[in-house]
Amino acid sequence: MNSEDALSLGEETLTIAQMAERTGLSADTLRYYEKAGLIEPVRRSAGNQRRYAATDLDWVEFLLRLRATGMSIADMQRFARLRADGGATVADRLVVLREHRSGLGERIRVLQQNADALDEKIDHYERLLSPQPETERT
Amino acid sequence: MNSEDALSLGEETLTIAQMAERTGLSADTLRYYEKAGLIEPVRRSAGNQRRYAATDLDWVEFLLRLRATGMSIADMQRFARLRADGGATVADRLVVLREHRSGLGERIRVLQQNADALDEKIDHYERLLSPQPETERT
DNA sequence: CTAGAACTTGGAGTGCACTCCAGGTCAAAT
DNA sequence: ATTTGACCTGGAGTGCACTCCAAGTTCTAG
């Protein structure tokens, strides 16, 4: 009734379809990420199908956060490689994350400025639409 | 010494190179935007070279704001078409801008959440790096 | 046991937003 | 008169991040 087989020793695993559902990525994209080295080779069932572990899910969710904040695949590859290289790279990873965080802060700041400028433009259009409302403001 | 010729009647115009410099877009991109209909056909010199007016500059700067806030070329095309269609479309343009502004607000919000989550991850890494800070710093 | 759904692979195709190129024109300087 | 450099056009090429496909294998329900 469930997917217990050759490899599972009590660990709950997800098929690629289940992973896709939980992460919002397509199965194709999950395979693409793995091929690209963003995800370490996933464990397989006896019949060679992918079985994702909970740690894989956590990692993909973290990747999605990096992606959502504008990190390129290439940069995620670098980060994933550091992670794969083990605990000795923690300092390096911290540097990467701090840089990314700082760039993100800047981008949010700029976005907010542009939002403000857009608000002005919108005000301008609104004024165009209400030509002479006599008792306007005050 | 300057670019006064056949078409100019006191109006200051910019060559495509000058436009590129002022907007940060490449000359190629400026031509591409015009071909795509983002910019209305620019006036030409006697020798068929583009001469951008101040209003063109303003418009391109506005386009850049839309782009910076994530608007696609296709959506900018729709907006540009409304603008080209004249004053009767002001209400439509206002709707588009408001929608864009609202999506932008949401995206900033999400980005900020992701930034917060990144901060937590960074804290996590920092804790990994200072295992027994006994008399570490100070 | 078998049908059909879900999975596998390598590789081709897509959409976006440019970016580059070849071959030609035009203007200014030597 | 010619060289130099900025500009013109149409169209091809690029990089990114997927997305789709064909042909074959595996899994699961009946």
Side-chain angles (χ1 to χ4, degrees):
Chain A
M1 198 186 185
N2 65 11
S3 43
E4 296 290 303
D5 59 40
L7 79 138
S8 64
L9 293 131
E11 290 211 15
E12 289 182 21
T13 61
L14 300 174
T15 66
I16 198 165
Q18 291 167 332
M19 249 325 243
E21 193 179 10
R22 271 157 196 67
T23 61
L25 292 174
S26 70
D28 271 325
T29 300
L30 282 167
R31 293 191 201 97
Y32 163 68
Y33 277 11
E34 187 177 338
K35 207 190 296 190
L38 296 188
I39 304 171
E40 291 183 66
V42 174
R43 280 187 308 160
R44 302 300 183 107
S45 73
N48 196 37
Q49 296 190 354
R50 288 174 180 80
R51 294 293 179 262
Y52 292 87
T55 54
D56 293 324
L57 181 56
D58 292 344
W59 172 242
V60 169
E61 279 168 351
F62 178 62
L63 285 180
L64 285 179
R65 210 174 280 293
L66 294 182
R67 183 181 77 162
T69 50
M71 187 178 286
S72 68
I73 298 280
D75 283 353
M76 289 194 274
Q77 282 169 337
R78 291 185 249 288
F79 194 88
R81 174 180 289 254
L82 285 178
R83 177 173 179 264
D85 284 354
T89 66
V90 168
D92 294 334
R93 278 181 266 167
L94 187 52
V95 168
V96 172
L97 283 192
R98 279 188 182 136
E99 273 170 17
H100 183 63
R101 176 60 181 86
S102 129
L104 175 58
E106 174 63 13
R107 289 201 353 271
I108 290 175
R109 232 172 44 74
V110 170
L111 234 38
Q112 189 56 60
Q113 284 174 5
N114 280 319
D116 293 346
L118 265 181
D119 284 337
E120 279 184 40
K121 194 80 173 181
I122 287 169
D123 285 352
H124 168 71
Y125 271 111
E126 281 166 348
R127 268 180 258 114
L128 281 185
L129 274 185
S130 50
Q132 251 77 244
E134 200 65 36
T135 1
E136 258 270 297
R137 24 209 283 292
T138 294
Chain B
M1 199 188 184
N2 66 10
S3 42
E4 295 291 304
D5 59 41
L7 80 138
S8 64
L9 293 130
E11 290 211 16
E12 290 183 21
T13 60
L14 300 174
T15 66
I16 197 166
Q18 291 166 334
M19 255 315 249
E21 193 179 10
R22 271 157 196 67
T23 61
L25 292 174
S26 70
D28 272 326
T29 300
L30 283 167
R31 292 193 203 97
Y32 164 68
Y33 277 11
E34 188 177 339
K35 206 188 301 187
L38 296 188
I39 304 172
E40 291 183 67
V42 174
R43 280 187 310 160
R44 303 299 184 107
S45 72
N48 197 37
Q49 296 189 354
R50 288 173 180 80
R51 294 292 180 262
Y52 292 87
T55 55
D56 294 324
L57 181 56
D58 291 346
W59 171 243
V60 170
E61 279 168 353
F62 178 62
L63 286 180
L64 286 179
R65 209 174 281 295
L66 294 181
R67 184 181 77 163
T69 51
M71 187 179 285
S72 68
I73 297 281
D75 284 352
M76 288 194 275
Q77 282 169 337
R78 291 185 248 288
F79 194 87
R81 174 179 290 253
L82 286 178
R83 177 172 179 264
D85 284 353
T89 65
V90 168
D92 294 333
R93 278 181 266 167
L94 186 52
V95 168
V96 172
L97 282 192
R98 278 189 182 135
E99 273 170 18
H100 183 63
R101 176 61 180 87
S102 127
L104 175 57
E106 174 63 13
R107 290 199 356 269
I108 291 175
R109 232 171 44 74
V110 170
L111 233 38
Q112 190 56 61
Q113 283 173 7
N114 280 319
D116 293 345
L118 264 181
D119 284 338
E120 280 185 40
K121 195 78 173 182
I122 287 170
D123 285 352
H124 168 71
Y125 271 112
E126 281 166 348
R127 269 179 257 113
L128 279 186
L129 272 187
S130 49
Q132 253 78 245
E134 202 67 31
T135 354
E136 259 275 303
R137 26 212 283 294
T138 294

